[in-house]
Amino acid sequence: SQQGEEDPQALSIQEGENATMNCSYKTSINNLQWYRQNSGRGLVHLILIRSNEREKHSGRLRVTLDTSKKSSSLLITASRAADTASYFCATDAWGQNFVFGPGTRLSVLP
Amino acid sequence: KAGVTQTPRYLIKTRGQQVTLSCSPISGHRSVSWYQQTPGQGLQFLFEYFSETQRNKGNFPGRFSGRQFSNSRSEMNVSTLELGDSALYLCASGGSPFLEQYFGPGTRLTVT
């Protein structure tokens, strides 16, 4: 399976600091996506990066993809308390369903 | 556009009963996927429908089934409920099976 695995499992930072989360997967993919989930609610799509892209930005988010290492990272700059949530990476490959990792729980302390 | 809606939002059932959950995708979206989320197993893929056809199925027993209607609305059914079926069931829709998915708020199912 191409299951993604996020690292670390939990992360606590102060407001204004940057947060970096990593995702590793096992097989070739088409796309890798990052989602955010606030406690017990639906997931919100953050960003999609295709297998032929290496870096993508969206506001305070920066995602990198290294297909040779089968890994991706999500950087949130100048974090805010509202960024407190769980973050998941999801991978897909042709003919296969989305696979989500176990998530990183981010706590941004005021 | 209205987002993905799921009904009901909360449900309490007894072991052995069956349950049907409903999902209305974003207008124009033809792909609907279902996920089960539990603290122990995380987000697990149940099945995905595209234009009324099941395209992919996760590793769940046959007690879990689903369908999609011509208007893209989808239902999932769980028969003979077990305590372990207690979970947040999330529905997601997309314009294509391989692009970003838009999630509903989920249905919280508690089996007692």
Side-chain angles (χ1 to χ4, degrees):
Chain A
S1 102
Q2 76 268 31
Q3 184 173 9
E5 293 279 342
E6 290 93 345
D7 165 55
Q9 290 186 354
L11 181 61
S12 261
I13 58 173
Q14 297 292 135
E15 240 180 346
E17 294 181 337
N18 295 342
T20 299
M21 287 157 269
N22 302 298
C23 169
S24 60
Y25 56 93
K26 296 178 182 176
T27 62
S28 295
I29 60 171
N30 288 329
N31 309 297
L32 186 142
Q33 304 183 45
W34 286 91
Y35 289 82
R36 182 188 74 230
Q37 183 181 36
N38 291 92
S39 181
R41 302 174 72 174
L43 279 73
V44 173
H45 180 263
L46 295 176
I47 198 163
L48 179 153
I49 186 165
R50 300 187 191 282
S51 59
N52 61 354
E53 296 176 311
R54 292 297 167 258
E55 188 171 312
K56 210 160 180 181
H57 296 254
S58 177
R60 295 184 295 112
L61 307 180
R62 173 179 168 253
V63 168
T64 61
L65 179 64
D66 187 335
T67 52
S68 66
K69 294 181 179 177
K70 293 186 170 59
S71 68
S72 172
S73 68
L74 169 66
L75 168 68
I76 303 174
T77 60
S79 62
R80 306 165 181 167
D83 295 328
T84 294
S86 291
Y87 291 81
F88 297 88
C89 70
T91 56
D92 71 81
W94 287 112
Q96 298 181 39
N97 49 272
F98 278 97
V99 179
F100 284 82
T104 291
R105 190 190 304 266
L106 173 66
S107 297
V108 181
L109 308 174
Chain B
K1 275 184 180 178
V4 177
T5 59
Q6 291 187 246
T7 55
R9 293 291 311 278
Y10 302 92
L11 204 49
I12 300 175
K13 289 285 189 179
T14 304
R15 264 185 307 175
Q17 288 186 314
Q18 74 164 18
V19 67
T20 299
L21 311 181
S22 180
C23 171
S24 293
I26 290 173
S27 178
H29 284 186
R30 296 162 65 188
S31 170
V32 174
S33 298
W34 288 89
Y35 296 86
Q36 181 196 65
Q37 186 176 31
T38 60
Q41 299 297 318
L43 268 160
Q44 292 189 287
F45 172 79
L46 280 157
F47 22 68
E48 185 237 334
Y49 289 88
F50 185 79
S51 295
E52 300 180 67
T53 301
Q54 187 181 87
R55 291 173 54 96
N56 278 305
K57 189 177 192 306
N59 190 25
F60 277 81
R63 300 185 297 106
F64 292 81
S65 62
R67 59 178 175 168
Q68 186 180 33
F69 302 96
S70 58
N71 62 358
S72 293
R73 191 177 68 85
S74 177
E75 288 181 348
M76 68 162 281
N77 184 277
V78 187
S79 62
T80 320
L81 284 165
E82 300 177 359
L83 295 178
D85 297 332
S86 294
L88 180 66
Y89 289 88
L90 293 163
C91 164
S93 78
S96 162
F98 302 111
L99 295 179
E100 60 265 30
Q101 298 183 85
Y102 297 85
F103 281 80
T107 293
R108 173 78 60 185
L109 171 65
T110 301
V111 182
T112 61

Short mmCIF file of all heavy atoms in Angstrom, two decimals, chain B residues 57-103:
data_model
loop_
_atom_site.label_atom_id
_atom_site.label_comp_id
_atom_site.label_asym_id
_atom_site.label_seq_id
_atom_site.Cartn_x
_atom_site.Cartn_y
_atom_site.Cartn_z
N LYS B 57 -12.95 -0.14 -3.24
CA LYS B 57 -13.50 -0.56 -1.97
C LYS B 57 -12.34 -0.82 -1.01
O LYS B 57 -11.33 -1.42 -1.40
CB LYS B 57 -14.33 -1.83 -2.15
CG LYS B 57 -15.12 -2.25 -0.93
CD LYS B 57 -15.96 -3.47 -1.25
CE LYS B 57 -16.98 -3.77 -0.15
NZ LYS B 57 -16.39 -3.90 1.19
N GLY B 58 -12.51 -0.38 0.22
CA GLY B 58 -11.50 -0.61 1.22
C GLY B 58 -11.66 -1.99 1.84
O GLY B 58 -12.50 -2.79 1.45
N ASN B 59 -10.84 -2.24 2.84
CA ASN B 59 -10.79 -3.55 3.47
C ASN B 59 -11.75 -3.61 4.66
O ASN B 59 -11.32 -3.65 5.81
CB ASN B 59 -9.35 -3.84 3.91
CG ASN B 59 -9.19 -5.27 4.37
OD1 ASN B 59 -9.94 -6.14 3.95
ND2 ASN B 59 -8.22 -5.50 5.23
N PHE B 60 -13.02 -3.62 4.35
CA PHE B 60 -14.05 -3.70 5.38
C PHE B 60 -14.94 -4.90 5.09
O PHE B 60 -15.09 -5.32 3.94
CB PHE B 60 -14.89 -2.41 5.40
CG PHE B 60 -14.26 -1.30 6.18
CD1 PHE B 60 -13.27 -0.51 5.61
CD2 PHE B 60 -14.64 -1.04 7.49
CE1 PHE B 60 -12.67 0.51 6.32
CE2 PHE B 60 -14.05 -0.02 8.21
CZ PHE B 60 -13.07 0.76 7.62
N PRO B 61 -15.56 -5.46 6.15
CA PRO B 61 -16.43 -6.63 5.92
C PRO B 61 -17.66 -6.25 5.09
O PRO B 61 -18.01 -5.09 4.95
CB PRO B 61 -16.81 -7.06 7.34
CG PRO B 61 -16.56 -5.89 8.20
CD PRO B 61 -15.43 -5.13 7.58
N GLY B 62 -18.33 -7.28 4.60
CA GLY B 62 -19.50 -7.09 3.75
C GLY B 62 -20.67 -6.41 4.44
O GLY B 62 -21.63 -6.01 3.78
N ARG B 63 -20.57 -6.28 5.77
CA ARG B 63 -21.64 -5.57 6.49
C ARG B 63 -21.70 -4.09 6.08
O ARG B 63 -22.71 -3.43 6.29
CB ARG B 63 -21.40 -5.64 8.01
CG ARG B 63 -21.36 -7.02 8.59
CD ARG B 63 -21.23 -6.99 10.10
NE ARG B 63 -20.00 -6.38 10.58
CZ ARG B 63 -19.93 -5.18 11.14
NH1 ARG B 63 -21.02 -4.43 11.29
NH2 ARG B 63 -18.76 -4.70 11.57
N PHE B 64 -20.62 -3.62 5.53
CA PHE B 64 -20.55 -2.23 5.08
C PHE B 64 -20.85 -2.20 3.58
O PHE B 64 -20.17 -2.86 2.79
CB PHE B 64 -19.16 -1.64 5.34
CG PHE B 64 -18.85 -1.45 6.79
CD1 PHE B 64 -18.41 -2.52 7.56
CD2 PHE B 64 -18.98 -0.21 7.39
CE1 PHE B 64 -18.12 -2.35 8.92
CE2 PHE B 64 -18.69 -0.02 8.73
CZ PHE B 64 -18.26 -1.09 9.49
N SER B 65 -21.85 -1.46 3.20
CA SER B 65 -22.20 -1.36 1.81
C SER B 65 -22.59 0.08 1.49
O SER B 65 -22.85 0.88 2.38
CB SER B 65 -23.35 -2.31 1.45
OG SER B 65 -24.51 -1.95 2.18
N GLY B 66 -22.62 0.38 0.21
CA GLY B 66 -22.99 1.73 -0.17
C GLY B 66 -23.63 1.74 -1.53
O GLY B 66 -23.69 0.71 -2.23
N ARG B 67 -24.11 2.90 -1.91
CA ARG B 67 -24.62 3.08 -3.25
C ARG B 67 -24.64 4.57 -3.57
O ARG B 67 -24.59 5.42 -2.67
CB ARG B 67 -26.02 2.48 -3.40
CG ARG B 67 -27.07 3.05 -2.46
CD ARG B 67 -28.42 2.40 -2.74
NE ARG B 67 -29.43 2.83 -1.79
CZ ARG B 67 -30.72 2.59 -1.96
NH1 ARG B 67 -31.15 1.95 -3.03
NH2 ARG B 67 -31.60 2.99 -1.06
N GLN B 68 -24.73 4.84 -4.86
CA GLN B 68 -24.81 6.22 -5.30
C GLN B 68 -25.97 6.34 -6.28
O GLN B 68 -26.15 5.47 -7.14
CB GLN B 68 -23.51 6.67 -5.97
CG GLN B 68 -23.50 8.15 -6.32
CD GLN B 68 -22.20 8.58 -6.99
OE1 GLN B 68 -21.58 7.82 -7.72
NE2 GLN B 68 -21.78 9.82 -6.74
N PHE B 69 -26.71 7.39 -6.12
CA PHE B 69 -27.88 7.61 -6.96
C PHE B 69 -27.52 8.48 -8.18
O PHE B 69 -26.43 9.05 -8.25
CB PHE B 69 -28.99 8.26 -6.13
CG PHE B 69 -29.38 7.44 -4.93
CD1 PHE B 69 -28.84 7.69 -3.68
CD2 PHE B 69 -30.28 6.38 -5.07
CE1 PHE B 69 -29.19 6.93 -2.58
CE2 PHE B 69 -30.63 5.62 -3.97
CZ PHE B 69 -30.08 5.89 -2.73
N SER B 70 -28.47 8.59 -9.08
CA SER B 70 -28.21 9.32 -10.33
C SER B 70 -27.93 10.80 -10.08
O SER B 70 -27.30 11.47 -10.89
CB SER B 70 -29.37 9.15 -11.31
OG SER B 70 -30.57 9.61 -10.71
N ASN B 71 -28.39 11.32 -8.94
CA ASN B 71 -28.12 12.73 -8.63
C ASN B 71 -26.83 12.89 -7.83
O ASN B 71 -26.56 13.95 -7.28
CB ASN B 71 -29.30 13.36 -7.87
CG ASN B 71 -29.55 12.67 -6.54
OD1 ASN B 71 -28.87 11.70 -6.18
ND2 ASN B 71 -30.53 13.16 -5.80
N SER B 72 -26.04 11.81 -7.76
CA SER B 72 -24.75 11.74 -7.07
C SER B 72 -24.85 11.62 -5.56
O SER B 72 -23.83 11.39 -4.91
CB SER B 72 -23.84 12.93 -7.43
OG SER B 72 -23.45 12.86 -8.78
N ARG B 73 -26.03 11.76 -5.02
CA ARG B 73 -26.17 11.53 -3.57
C ARG B 73 -25.79 10.09 -3.27
O ARG B 73 -25.97 9.19 -4.11
CB ARG B 73 -27.60 11.80 -3.13
CG ARG B 73 -27.81 11.84 -1.62
CD ARG B 73 -29.25 12.19 -1.27
NE ARG B 73 -30.19 11.13 -1.64
CZ ARG B 73 -30.48 10.09 -0.86
NH1 ARG B 73 -29.88 9.95 0.32
NH2 ARG B 73 -31.36 9.18 -1.27
N SER B 74 -25.26 9.89 -2.08
CA SER B 74 -24.79 8.54 -1.74
C SER B 74 -25.29 8.15 -0.36
O SER B 74 -25.54 9.00 0.50
CB SER B 74 -23.26 8.50 -1.77
OG SER B 74 -22.76 7.23 -1.38
N GLU B 75 -25.44 6.88 -0.18
CA GLU B 75 -25.78 6.32 1.12
C GLU B 75 -24.82 5.20 1.44
O GLU B 75 -24.33 4.52 0.54
CB GLU B 75 -27.21 5.74 1.11
CG GLU B 75 -28.32 6.76 1.07
CD GLU B 75 -29.70 6.12 1.09
OE1 GLU B 75 -29.81 4.88 0.91
OE2 GLU B 75 -30.67 6.86 1.29
N MET B 76 -24.55 5.05 2.73
CA MET B 76 -23.83 3.86 3.15
C MET B 76 -24.65 3.17 4.24
O MET B 76 -25.35 3.83 5.02
CB MET B 76 -22.41 4.16 3.63
CG MET B 76 -22.28 4.93 4.91
SD MET B 76 -20.62 4.75 5.61
CE MET B 76 -20.74 3.15 6.38
N ASN B 77 -24.58 1.88 4.25
CA ASN B 77 -25.34 1.07 5.17
C ASN B 77 -24.41 0.15 5.94
O ASN B 77 -23.47 -0.41 5.36
CB ASN B 77 -26.38 0.24 4.39
CG ASN B 77 -27.28 -0.55 5.30
OD1 ASN B 77 -26.92 -1.62 5.74
ND2 ASN B 77 -28.44 0.00 5.59
N VAL B 78 -24.67 0.05 7.22
CA VAL B 78 -23.92 -0.90 8.03
C VAL B 78 -24.95 -1.81 8.70
O VAL B 78 -25.85 -1.32 9.41
CB VAL B 78 -23.05 -0.23 9.11
CG1 VAL B 78 -22.17 -1.27 9.80
CG2 VAL B 78 -22.21 0.88 8.51
N SER B 79 -24.85 -3.09 8.44
CA SER B 79 -25.79 -4.03 9.03
C SER B 79 -25.15 -4.72 10.23
O SER B 79 -23.92 -4.73 10.38
CB SER B 79 -26.22 -5.06 7.99
OG SER B 79 -25.10 -5.81 7.56
N THR B 80 -25.98 -5.30 11.05
CA THR B 80 -25.52 -6.05 12.22
C THR B 80 -24.40 -5.29 12.95
O THR B 80 -23.25 -5.73 13.05
CB THR B 80 -25.01 -7.46 11.83
OG1 THR B 80 -25.88 -8.01 10.84
CG2 THR B 80 -25.03 -8.37 13.03
N LEU B 81 -24.74 -4.15 13.46
CA LEU B 81 -23.76 -3.26 14.08
C LEU B 81 -23.01 -3.92 15.23
O LEU B 81 -23.60 -4.69 16.01
CB LEU B 81 -24.44 -1.99 14.58
CG LEU B 81 -24.82 -0.97 13.50
CD1 LEU B 81 -25.79 0.05 14.05
CD2 LEU B 81 -23.57 -0.29 12.96
N GLU B 82 -21.73 -3.59 15.30
CA GLU B 82 -20.88 -4.06 16.38
C GLU B 82 -20.36 -2.83 17.14
O GLU B 82 -20.34 -1.72 16.60
CB GLU B 82 -19.71 -4.87 15.82
CG GLU B 82 -20.14 -6.08 15.04
CD GLU B 82 -18.96 -6.83 14.42
OE1 GLU B 82 -17.80 -6.39 14.60
OE2 GLU B 82 -19.20 -7.88 13.78
N LEU B 83 -19.91 -3.07 18.39
CA LEU B 83 -19.40 -1.96 19.19
C LEU B 83 -18.25 -1.24 18.47
O LEU B 83 -18.13 -0.02 18.53
CB LEU B 83 -18.93 -2.46 20.55
CG LEU B 83 -20.00 -3.02 21.49
CD1 LEU B 83 -19.37 -3.52 22.78
CD2 LEU B 83 -21.08 -1.99 21.77
N GLY B 84 -17.45 -2.02 17.76
CA GLY B 84 -16.30 -1.46 17.06
C GLY B 84 -16.65 -0.59 15.87
O GLY B 84 -15.78 0.05 15.29
N ASP B 85 -17.92 -0.54 15.52
CA ASP B 85 -18.34 0.31 14.41
C ASP B 85 -18.56 1.75 14.86
O ASP B 85 -18.81 2.63 14.04
CB ASP B 85 -19.64 -0.21 13.78
CG ASP B 85 -19.48 -1.60 13.17
OD1 ASP B 85 -18.35 -1.94 12.75
OD2 ASP B 85 -20.48 -2.34 13.12
N SER B 86 -18.47 1.98 16.16
CA SER B 86 -18.58 3.34 16.67
C SER B 86 -17.44 4.17 16.08
O SER B 86 -16.27 3.82 16.25
CB SER B 86 -18.49 3.35 18.20
OG SER B 86 -19.59 2.71 18.77
N ALA B 87 -17.80 5.24 15.42
CA ALA B 87 -16.78 6.03 14.72
C ALA B 87 -17.40 7.29 14.14
O ALA B 87 -18.62 7.47 14.18
CB ALA B 87 -16.18 5.20 13.57
N LEU B 88 -16.54 8.13 13.61
CA LEU B 88 -16.99 9.27 12.81
C LEU B 88 -16.93 8.82 11.35
O LEU B 88 -15.88 8.39 10.88
CB LEU B 88 -16.07 10.47 13.04
CG LEU B 88 -16.41 11.76 12.28
CD1 LEU B 88 -17.73 12.33 12.74
CD2 LEU B 88 -15.28 12.78 12.43
N TYR B 89 -18.04 8.88 10.67
CA TYR B 89 -18.09 8.48 9.26
C TYR B 89 -18.11 9.74 8.41
O TYR B 89 -19.01 10.57 8.52
CB TYR B 89 -19.30 7.60 9.00
CG TYR B 89 -19.13 6.23 9.62
CD1 TYR B 89 -19.52 6.01 10.94
CD2 TYR B 89 -18.53 5.19 8.92
CE1 TYR B 89 -19.32 4.78 11.54
CE2 TYR B 89 -18.34 3.95 9.51
CZ TYR B 89 -18.73 3.76 10.82
OH TYR B 89 -18.52 2.54 11.41
N LEU B 90 -17.11 9.85 7.58
CA LEU B 90 -16.93 11.04 6.76
C LEU B 90 -17.19 10.73 5.31
O LEU B 90 -16.77 9.70 4.79
CB LEU B 90 -15.50 11.57 6.91
CG LEU B 90 -15.14 12.13 8.29
CD1 LEU B 90 -13.63 12.23 8.44
CD2 LEU B 90 -15.77 13.50 8.49
N CYS B 91 -17.87 11.64 4.67
CA CYS B 91 -18.13 11.56 3.25
C CYS B 91 -17.36 12.69 2.58
O CYS B 91 -17.24 13.79 3.14
CB CYS B 91 -19.64 11.71 3.02
SG CYS B 91 -20.12 12.09 1.33
N ALA B 92 -16.83 12.41 1.41
CA ALA B 92 -16.10 13.44 0.67
C ALA B 92 -16.51 13.40 -0.78
O ALA B 92 -16.73 12.33 -1.35
CB ALA B 92 -14.59 13.20 0.78
N SER B 93 -16.64 14.55 -1.39
CA SER B 93 -16.97 14.58 -2.81
C SER B 93 -15.88 15.31 -3.58
O SER B 93 -15.11 16.10 -3.02
CB SER B 93 -18.33 15.25 -3.05
OG SER B 93 -18.26 16.67 -2.97
N GLY B 94 -15.82 15.00 -4.86
CA GLY B 94 -14.82 15.63 -5.70
C GLY B 94 -15.28 15.65 -7.14
O GLY B 94 -16.14 14.87 -7.55
N GLY B 95 -14.68 16.57 -7.89
CA GLY B 95 -15.02 16.64 -9.30
C GLY B 95 -14.46 15.47 -10.08
O GLY B 95 -14.94 15.09 -11.12
N SER B 96 -13.41 14.89 -9.52
CA SER B 96 -12.76 13.76 -10.15
C SER B 96 -12.22 12.89 -9.03
O SER B 96 -11.88 13.40 -7.97
CB SER B 96 -11.61 14.23 -11.05
OG SER B 96 -10.72 13.17 -11.33
N PRO B 97 -12.13 11.59 -9.27
CA PRO B 97 -11.63 10.73 -8.18
C PRO B 97 -10.20 11.05 -7.75
O PRO B 97 -9.80 10.67 -6.67
CB PRO B 97 -11.68 9.33 -8.80
CG PRO B 97 -12.70 9.42 -9.86
CD PRO B 97 -12.57 10.80 -10.42
N PHE B 98 -9.45 11.78 -8.53
CA PHE B 98 -8.04 11.92 -8.18
C PHE B 98 -7.63 13.37 -7.90
O PHE B 98 -6.46 13.70 -7.90
CB PHE B 98 -7.17 11.35 -9.30
CG PHE B 98 -7.47 9.90 -9.55
CD1 PHE B 98 -8.07 9.51 -10.73
CD2 PHE B 98 -7.19 8.95 -8.61
CE1 PHE B 98 -8.37 8.18 -10.96
CE2 PHE B 98 -7.48 7.61 -8.82
CZ PHE B 98 -8.07 7.23 -10.01
N LEU B 99 -8.59 14.20 -7.64
CA LEU B 99 -8.29 15.57 -7.26
C LEU B 99 -8.71 15.77 -5.81
O LEU B 99 -9.09 14.85 -5.12
CB LEU B 99 -9.00 16.55 -8.19
CG LEU B 99 -8.52 16.50 -9.64
CD1 LEU B 99 -9.30 17.50 -10.48
CD2 LEU B 99 -7.03 16.78 -9.72
N GLU B 100 -8.62 17.03 -5.36
CA GLU B 100 -8.91 17.29 -3.95
C GLU B 100 -10.34 16.90 -3.62
O GLU B 100 -11.24 16.98 -4.44
CB GLU B 100 -8.67 18.76 -3.60
CG GLU B 100 -9.50 19.75 -4.39
CD GLU B 100 -8.74 20.27 -5.58
OE1 GLU B 100 -7.89 19.53 -6.13
OE2 GLU B 100 -9.01 21.42 -5.98
N GLN B 101 -10.50 16.46 -2.40
CA GLN B 101 -11.80 16.07 -1.92
C GLN B 101 -12.32 17.09 -0.93
O GLN B 101 -11.56 17.68 -0.17
CB GLN B 101 -11.72 14.69 -1.25
CG GLN B 101 -11.28 13.59 -2.20
CD GLN B 101 -11.28 12.24 -1.52
OE1 GLN B 101 -12.29 11.57 -1.43
NE2 GLN B 101 -10.14 11.85 -1.02
N TYR B 102 -13.62 17.26 -0.94
CA TYR B 102 -14.28 18.18 -0.03
C TYR B 102 -15.11 17.35 0.94
O TYR B 102 -15.99 16.61 0.52
CB TYR B 102 -15.16 19.16 -0.82
CG TYR B 102 -14.35 20.02 -1.74
CD1 TYR B 102 -13.99 19.59 -3.01
CD2 TYR B 102 -13.92 21.28 -1.33
CE1 TYR B 102 -13.22 20.37 -3.86
CE2 TYR B 102 -13.16 22.08 -2.17
CZ TYR B 102 -12.81 21.62 -3.43
OH TYR B 102 -12.04 22.40 -4.25
N PHE B 103 -14.79 17.50 2.21
CA PHE B 103 -15.40 16.65 3.21
C PHE B 103 -16.63 17.28 3.85
O PHE B 103 -16.69 18.50 4.03
CB PHE B 103 -14.38 16.35 4.32
CG PHE B 103 -13.39 15.28 3.94
CD1 PHE B 103 -12.30 15.59 3.15
CD2 PHE B 103 -13.56 13.98 4.38
CE1 PHE B 103 -11.39 14.61 2.79
CE2 PHE B 103 -12.65 12.99 4.03
CZ PHE B 103 -11.57 13.31 3.24
#
